Amino acid sequence: MKQVKHVFVGILSLFVLNISCQKNSVSATATLPKQVKSDNDTIIEKSGIYLISPDIKDIDSIKKVIGEDRFYTVADDANFYISKISSVLKDKLPTLKYGKIDFKNENFVFDKSKYQNNWLIVDYKSGNKPEIYSLVDFYSQQNKSENSQLSSKKASDIESYQNNKDFITITFDINNDGKEDKIFSNKPNTGDSLRVYFYENEGYVLKLKSINFSQDGGNQVSQIKKNGKGFSVVTNFPKGTDRYNYFISFENNNFTVNKVIHEMSSWQENDNQTKICEFHPKIDLQKSSDQIFNQLIAAEKNAVCTTKKMQ
């Protein structure tokens, strides 16, 4: 009888010990730390084109460095290029605001802190390392692709302007490649259209659709001529008392207004003086007419002006 009692106690002790071990095991497992990914990181496995843009913390930092006014100018330019890029893409342009992006299939981690540009385009094709572009560079690449498609168009596109009585045709080598290019511009008081065609691959390719800076009831285009690697457009007020000279350069497949000279004189004044103001707006002519003139107005506020006696 004593032996049975001892066996029962032994079994009971083993049962209690087993429960105690299970409790300790669960308790130990519960205290292990979980691996939580940072909110500033993400993983991408799917091919696509992605927009990297600054988050609120980045924006505050940028404002402190360049000032709030300058930030909004930069942001406006970025939004322009984002709009242009998005209009060409078939799919929506996803926006990412992560500090690090892990393309784990390519063994590549994108680190935003290593790039100076705050807005970037990531072009990722599965099986290849992602390509990183500034907005301007990616937009230029899109333009090259579009222009190669436009080169297949018939000469009727050119002839439609050449045969239009409201347009003038100017021919000279704009980009200094030894080939004569063409500019078509509305004549005074017929509109403000300006088209630039480059001669490429034995045909003319449309490079720019923009404005000639003519304004209803105001200055009208009076001259377009070659200027370095680019051209200049001159507009005059009908009475000749107000003259703008817009200097346009062609670089990195973009047309940019780099300098403007504004000459003003009044027929009502007897001192025969002309006021000359110069400013440097750096405006991409792919922008809309309103955007171009708004930036011109803003830039002219910082113009450097002098006066001279009229001959």
Side-chain angles (χ1 to χ4, degrees):
M1 186 72 181
K2 287 183 179 180
Q3 188 176 1
V4 173
K5 183 177 180 181
H6 289 156
V7 170
F8 175 76
V9 170
I11 293 172
L12 181 62
S13 298
L14 288 172
F15 178 74
V16 171
L17 179 63
N18 183 51
I19 292 175
S20 176
C21 288
Q22 286 183 0
K23 285 184 178 180
N24 288 336
S25 175
V26 171
S27 177
T29 302
T31 59
L32 288 174
K34 294 182 179 179
Q35 291 186 344
V36 180
K37 196 167 185 64
S38 168
D39 290 339
N40 292 326
D41 301 336
T42 192
I43 296 174
I44 288 181
E45 298 176 322
K46 184 180 178 183
S47 297
I49 296 172
Y50 301 90
L51 169 66
I52 308 296
S53 68
D55 57 21
I56 295 176
K57 185 178 178 181
D58 294 328
I59 290 172
D60 289 339
S61 178
I62 298 167
K63 287 180 178 179
K64 288 178 181 178
V65 174
I66 66 175
E68 192 162 337
D69 290 342
R70 175 63 180 155
F71 167 77
Y72 287 115
T73 300
V74 172
D76 182 60
D77 287 341
N79 287 333
F80 164 75
Y81 286 110
I82 291 168
S83 174
K84 287 290 185 180
I85 291 168
S86 299
S87 67
V88 176
L89 298 176
K90 293 180 180 179
D91 299 321
K92 186 178 179 181
L93 183 62
T95 302
L96 305 176
K97 297 185 179 182
Y98 298 96
K100 291 183 180 180
I101 302 172
D102 185 4
F103 295 87
K104 67 176 187 178
N105 293 335
E106 320 308 333
N107 195 27
F108 174 79
V109 176
F110 167 85
D111 187 347
K112 186 167 66 172
S113 67
K114 294 181 179 179
Y115 295 84
Q116 285 189 329
N117 285 320
N118 294 288
W119 286 268
L120 294 166
I121 294 291
V122 177
D123 188 357
Y124 173 52
K125 297 178 179 65
S126 183
N128 297 285
K129 181 180 176 181
E131 295 182 338
I132 315 298
Y133 298 90
S134 69
L135 294 178
V136 174
D137 288 343
F138 190 79
Y139 176 61
S140 296
Q141 181 173 298
Q142 279 186 320
N143 268 352
K144 289 178 183 178
S145 177
E146 286 183 19
N147 288 334
S148 66
Q149 296 173 12
L150 287 168
S151 63
S152 63
K153 285 192 172 184
K154 297 180 180 179
S156 59
D157 292 338
I158 295 287
E159 292 173 358
S160 65
Y161 290 111
Q162 289 176 329
N163 298 329
N164 191 328
K165 64 180 182 179
D166 290 337
F167 280 82
I168 57 172
T169 305
I170 304 100
T171 303
F172 52 75
D173 181 7
I174 296 174
N175 58 344
N176 299 332
D177 65 352
K179 301 172 184 176
E180 288 196 335
D181 308 308
K182 291 185 181 294
I183 298 176
F184 298 97
S185 170
N186 271 113
K187 295 177 181 178
N189 301 305
T190 64
D192 65 354
S193 294
L194 182 126
R195 304 288 184 266
V196 177
Y197 285 81
F198 279 6
Y199 191 81
E200 297 178 353
N201 302 321
E202 299 182 354
Y204 283 98
V205 177
L206 178 64
K207 287 288 184 178
L208 176 68
K209 291 174 65 176
S210 190
I211 60 171
N212 62 14
F213 304 100
S214 293
Q215 296 173 280
D216 289 339
N219 286 49
Q220 295 293 312
V221 61
S222 60
Q223 186 180 31
I224 298 175
K225 60 183 180 180
K226 180 170 174 57
N227 180 64
K229 192 174 180 180
F231 58 96
S232 61
V233 178
V234 178
T235 66
N236 280 286
F237 193 70
K239 289 190 177 183
T241 57
D242 192 287
R243 170 189 172 99
Y244 279 93
N245 195 347
Y246 302 91
F247 294 86
I248 300 159
S249 65
F250 179 74
E251 294 180 4
N252 300 321
N253 212 40
N254 289 322
F255 290 90
T256 306
V257 182
N258 282 326
K259 183 173 75 171
V260 181
I261 296 178
H262 185 193
E263 298 181 31
M264 297 161 282
S265 58
S266 175
W267 57 270
Q268 295 177 321
E269 296 177 357
N270 297 320
D271 57 3
N272 293 326
Q273 284 191 337
T274 299
K275 184 178 181 181
I276 303 172
C277 296
E278 181 176 322
F279 54 101
H280 302 264
K282 294 185 180 179
I283 302 172
D284 190 325
L285 281 181
Q286 294 282 1
K287 293 188 174 184
S288 69
S289 175
D290 287 342
Q291 287 176 313
I292 290 172
F293 276 111
N294 285 338
Q295 284 193 245
L296 285 170
I297 293 169
E300 190 165 7
K301 293 178 181 178
N302 298 316
V304 177
C305 301
T306 59
T307 57
K308 72 173 185 179
K309 288 280 187 180
M310 294 177 61
Q311 300 296 327

